[in-house]
Amino acid sequence: MEFFSLWHQAALTSTGFFWMALWAFVLGYVISSLIQVLVTKERMQKAMGKTGPRSMALGTFFGFISSSCSFAALATTRSLFQKGAGLAPSIAFLLASTNLVIELGIVISIFLAWQFVVAEYIGGILLILFAWLFIRVTNPKKLIQQARDRLDKNEEDHQHGGEQKSWKSKLTSREGWQQIGMTYVMEWQMVWKDVLIGFTVAGVIAAFVPESFFHGLFPGAGQTEGELGFLSLLAQTLIGPFAAFFTFIGSMGNIPLAAVLFGNGVSFAGVMAFIFSDLVVLPVLRINAQYYGWKMSLYILALLLSGLVFASLIMHYGFAAFGMLPDASTVQTATERDHFKMDYGFILNLIFIAISAVLVFFWYRAKHANSGHEHHHDHGGGAGAGTWVLRGFVVIAAVWLAGGLLVAPLMA
């Protein structure tokens, strides 16, 4: 009976995580779809085609107002880069849209302390500055050109012809909204498998993995600030991203587990490194590889990983210098949260579900209108061994969630 109880708890937590992040998913993919359909490559090159302070500031600002979860931010970033934005401004957008966002700060304040909210925003700016410096020093011109060539080829494959219309004409025409709807559905088709597996794994970890495991995983966990040396602190900032990499969890879903880590003695730097790791998880690496190729995906991984370790250590020692490190006396675990309560997130979910339904309707109409000359797009990289393994995990995740949600009567 204990297993069935934990199974139900894990499935409920997984669906709760997704419900919390649903509106952010929809918002991010709507923005991505609008950019892909409405913004011309010439306009994007003019606004963000360079890597100077203005382009970096624009990328950061656009990311801030987009407020996307990590998976949706990847799609929007791809759109910006594909339209001609420079790599550094595109990465600035990616980091800002997943770190400098209001709803993420609200979730952090619920599960953790206010210091983590401040560190999230200051650290996000540090990550952007670090990425700018990293790209300028490494100067990956060849990788950038290869990534652009790959995206241009995919863009040609997805084009159906027709004259180019202005963004105003597209917004006021049925054909324009059908194109937006088709792009929106295509974005979901590219990542829904990773999202399903990721949130399923998050629920399993929250319900089944004991707290002692996290305590033993991080060297020096449970020690006071005076007892924790630099090497232990550095190890925790490296293990945090390593743990996040295999949890598959995006920016919204990893906050409850970050609270678990903090409640079990992991340092401020280690927890911040885990929170910043939403863009170095396995599904993100795989999605970036689909977009840009594996070489660029690994380059972005190295950039983000080194940047988050740097920012986390700076945040820890900076807060320690001012005596502002948070106290882990009271934290609420992921399984104790009421994910489905009536709050602002519930209302936003209903609104964005309605928006999603409208876009799916336009996709449906466009699909039937183009049924005579419809093209099949394989975003999964073919039917190789990796694709079949992913499909197997999808089936397992779906069966696990369905069984866990239906097992409640057996516990009565």
Side-chain angles (χ1 to χ4, degrees), residues 22-246:
L22 177 59
W23 69 269
F25 273 107
V26 176
L27 175 61
Y29 288 135
V30 168
I31 293 175
S32 173
S33 302
L34 290 172
I35 290 176
Q36 291 184 67
V37 174
L38 302 180
V39 180
T40 64
K41 179 177 290 188
E42 292 74 17
R43 184 181 297 273
M44 188 58 62
Q45 286 176 334
K46 183 178 180 181
M48 295 172 59
K50 304 297 182 180
T51 58
R54 180 178 179 274
S55 295
M56 292 297 295
L58 283 174
T60 301
F61 174 73
F62 290 153
F64 169 75
I65 63 177
S66 76
S67 302
S68 301
C69 66
S70 55
F71 293 104
L74 292 173
T76 310
T77 301
R78 187 277 315 274
S79 302
L80 295 173
F81 185 72
Q82 185 174 1
K83 294 293 184 179
L87 177 61
S90 299
I91 296 297
F93 172 89
L94 177 65
L95 291 169
S97 62
T98 54
N99 293 289
L100 307 181
V101 292
I102 297 175
E103 68 272 13
L104 183 59
I106 295 174
V107 174
I108 293 176
S109 67
I110 293 173
F111 285 99
L112 293 161
W114 65 267
Q115 291 93 331
F116 288 95
V117 180
V118 176
E120 175 71 19
Y121 295 135
I122 297 178
I125 296 175
L126 288 177
L127 283 171
I128 292 171
L129 294 175
F130 180 90
W132 190 11
L133 178 63
F134 188 96
I135 293 172
R136 288 180 65 90
V137 171
T138 57
N139 193 24
K141 291 183 178 180
K142 186 177 181 180
L143 281 179
I144 293 175
Q145 188 58 49
Q146 290 176 347
R148 290 198 187 280
D149 291 342
R150 181 186 178 93
L151 291 172
D152 289 342
K153 182 179 183 300
N154 291 336
E155 184 178 32
E156 291 174 2
D157 292 341
H158 296 156
Q159 286 178 345
H160 300 282
E163 59 176 334
Q164 295 295 322
K165 298 181 180 180
S166 67
W167 66 270
K168 292 182 179 180
S169 298
K170 291 179 180 179
L171 279 179
T172 55
S173 67
R174 182 179 60 184
E175 292 77 11
W177 280 103
Q178 287 179 348
Q179 190 177 359
I180 294 171
M182 292 181 66
T183 305
Y184 174 78
V185 172
M186 184 184 71
E187 295 296 345
W188 275 105
Q189 290 174 338
M190 293 183 70
V191 299
W192 73 267
K193 299 181 183 69
D194 297 288
V195 172
L196 173 63
I197 296 172
F199 280 91
T200 301
V201 172
V204 170
I205 292 175
F208 282 92
V209 177
E211 297 179 353
S212 58
F213 173 83
F214 295 103
H215 199 170
L217 180 63
F218 290 83
Q223 296 181 356
T224 63
E225 171 62 23
E227 298 172 338
L228 189 63
F230 173 77
L231 291 180
S232 295
L233 195 65
L234 177 61
Q236 291 192 19
T237 60
L238 293 173
I239 293 174
F242 178 81
F245 183 85
F246 292 101

Side-chain angles (χ1 to χ4, degrees), residues 337-393:
R337 293 295 308 168
D338 181 7
H339 302 288
F340 303 99
K341 66 179 180 180
M342 180 69 69
D343 57 5
Y344 82 100
F346 189 93
I347 302 300
L348 287 174
N349 276 344
L350 296 181
I351 294 173
F352 280 97
I353 286 174
I355 293 174
S356 185
V358 172
L359 292 177
V360 170
F361 170 77
F362 280 119
W363 162 80
Y364 179 81
R365 294 294 298 270
K367 180 181 179 181
H368 282 266
N370 299 327
S371 58
H373 49 85
E374 188 176 4
H375 300 277
H376 174 70
H377 309 307
D378 182 8
H379 302 289
T387 301
W388 285 107
V389 170
L390 182 66
R391 290 175 181 174
F393 280 126

Side-chain angles (χ1 to χ4, degrees), residues 187-361:
E187 295 296 345
W188 275 105
Q189 290 174 338
M190 293 183 70
V191 299
W192 73 267
K193 299 181 183 69
D194 297 288
V195 172
L196 173 63
I197 296 172
F199 280 91
T200 301
V201 172
V204 170
I205 292 175
F208 282 92
V209 177
E211 297 179 353
S212 58
F213 173 83
F214 295 103
H215 199 170
L217 180 63
F218 290 83
Q223 296 181 356
T224 63
E225 171 62 23
E227 298 172 338
L228 189 63
F230 173 77
L231 291 180
S232 295
L233 195 65
L234 177 61
Q236 291 192 19
T237 60
L238 293 173
I239 293 174
F242 178 81
F245 183 85
F246 292 101
T247 59
F248 294 75
I249 308 168
S251 57
M252 300 293 286
N254 69 358
I255 302 304
L257 290 183
V260 173
L261 298 181
F262 186 58
N264 286 277
V266 178
S267 67
F268 183 62
V271 176
M272 287 308 307
F274 182 82
I275 293 176
F276 285 141
S277 297
D278 59 299
L279 292 173
V280 299
V281 296
L282 186 57
V284 170
L285 178 66
R286 180 180 176 275
I287 292 170
N288 277 334
Q290 290 180 351
Y291 289 161
Y292 314 111
W294 277 104
K295 289 184 179 179
M296 177 59 83
S297 179
L298 292 173
Y299 173 84
I300 295 174
L301 176 66
L303 182 158
L304 297 173
L305 183 59
S306 55
L308 69 88
V309 171
F310 166 79
S312 299
L313 290 173
I314 292 295
M315 289 294 96
H316 184 98
Y317 285 113
F319 277 61
F322 289 96
M324 296 169 55
L325 287 176
D327 183 11
S329 57
T330 57
V331 291
Q332 192 173 21
T333 65
T335 54
E336 294 174 345
R337 293 295 308 168
D338 181 7
H339 302 288
F340 303 99
K341 66 179 180 180
M342 180 69 69
D343 57 5
Y344 82 100
F346 189 93
I347 302 300
L348 287 174
N349 276 344
L350 296 181
I351 294 173
F352 280 97
I353 286 174
I355 293 174
S356 185
V358 172
L359 292 177
V360 170
F361 170 77

